[in-house]
């Protein structure tokens, strides 16, 4: 892990971070869907895990939004997982600043997500990565973390094709 990642703190998303997170999200389309302020605020409020990676100056270096089953979330990809699995965490979006990539920020965010899955006794963490338009770097990163492709689907009226992925989680808590 680089010095950069060691200076990052992970915290729940706060109101004063929303504008910076919105700009970061929208700068990373088409790998994540563009949002407006109202939609981002609604997603943060609905999420079960919302994380921001903050550097020493207070600047957002990355963020993640995660949902459990049973949420009133209209995402086609979330619904795909929900129709197949009872216990999962759905990583709706994770975005890291370009300058913070390959520094451990993404792995740190995922570490918290994996721990949240264990605590929730979720059997898997699920996400999707674009096949069209292609995002091979993200697919490779997810495979390194132990994710496997389990399906594909077209979204946005055929404008996107995604690889649906899961990472199986072993709960540390007794049942």
């Amino acid at each position: 892990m680089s010095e950069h990642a060691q200076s990052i703190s992970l915290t729940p998303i706060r109101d004063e971070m929303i504008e910076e997170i919105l700009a970061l999200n929208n700068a990373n389309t088409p790998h994540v869907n563009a949002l407006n302020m109202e939609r981002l605020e609604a997603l943060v409020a609905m999420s079960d895990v919302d994380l921001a990676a903050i550097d020493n100056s207070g600047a957002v270096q990355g963020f993640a939004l995660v949902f459990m089953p049973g949420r009133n979330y209209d995402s086609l990809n979330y619904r795909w997982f929900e129709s197949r699995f009872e216990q999962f965490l759905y990583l709706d979006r994770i975005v890291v600043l370009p300058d913070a990539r390959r520094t451990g920020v993404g792995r740190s965010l995922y570490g918290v997500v994996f721990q949240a899955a264990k605590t929730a006794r979720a059997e898997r963490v699920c996400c999707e990565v674009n096949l069209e338009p292609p995002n091979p770097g993200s697919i490779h990163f997810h495979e390194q973390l132990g994710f496997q492709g389990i399906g594909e689907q077209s979204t946005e009226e055929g404008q996107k094709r995604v690889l649906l992925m899961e990472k199986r989680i072993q709960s540390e808590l007794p049942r």
Side-chain angles (χ1 to χ4, degrees):
M1 188 180 291
S2 74
E3 284 183 34
H4 182 81
Q6 293 172 6
S7 66
I8 295 296
S9 61
L10 301 178
T11 181
I13 294 172
R14 297 184 304 270
D15 289 344
E16 62 269 17
M17 300 172 186
I18 292 291
E19 285 185 28
E20 200 172 351
I21 287 171
L22 180 64
L24 176 57
N25 183 89
N26 291 344
N28 282 276
T29 59
H31 302 306
V32 293
N33 296 338
L35 298 171
N36 61 31
M37 184 65 73
E38 181 180 32
R39 179 68 169 171
L40 175 59
E41 289 173 338
L43 290 176
V44 171
M46 186 188 332
S47 68
D48 293 284
V49 178
D50 60 275
L51 287 172
I54 308 299
D55 69 12
N56 290 336
S57 73
V60 175
Q61 300 298 300
F63 74 95
L65 295 175
V66 181
F67 299 90
M68 295 176 81
R71 301 296 169 251
N72 187 24
Y73 186 27
D74 59 0
S75 162
L76 184 63
N77 297 315
Y78 173 78
R79 294 288 176 214
W80 189 94
F81 292 113
E82 192 173 51
S83 72
R84 286 161 176 81
F85 306 122
E86 288 184 27
Q87 294 296 322
F88 67 95
L89 288 188
Y90 172 68
L91 181 62
D92 180 62
R93 62 193 64 230
I94 183 167
V95 180
V96 176
L97 272 175
D99 288 348
R101 292 180 188 153
R102 294 181 174 79
T103 66
V105 172
R107 286 183 185 274
S108 295
L109 288 165
Y110 269 100
V112 173
V113 172
F114 296 151
Q115 189 57 51
K118 289 177 183 178
T119 300
R121 296 187 177 111
E123 297 170 353
R124 59 189 44 88
V125 173
C126 302
C127 66
E128 78 279 343
V129 177
N130 287 355
L131 293 169
E132 289 298 327
N135 193 351
S138 184
I139 292 171
H140 179 71
F141 176 72
H142 283 86
E143 288 172 343
Q144 286 183 322
L145 290 175
F147 282 85
Q148 297 179 356
I150 57 171
E152 294 181 15
Q153 74 177 352
S154 292
T155 63
E156 298 181 24
E157 298 177 358
Q159 297 298 307
K160 282 188 178 179
R161 183 144 190 86
V162 296
L163 175 63
L164 300 144
M165 303 184 85
E166 73 168 359
K167 175 182 171 78
R168 300 299 299 256
I169 301 294
Q170 296 291 322
S171 175
E172 294 176 348
L173 300 175
R175 291 200 174 256

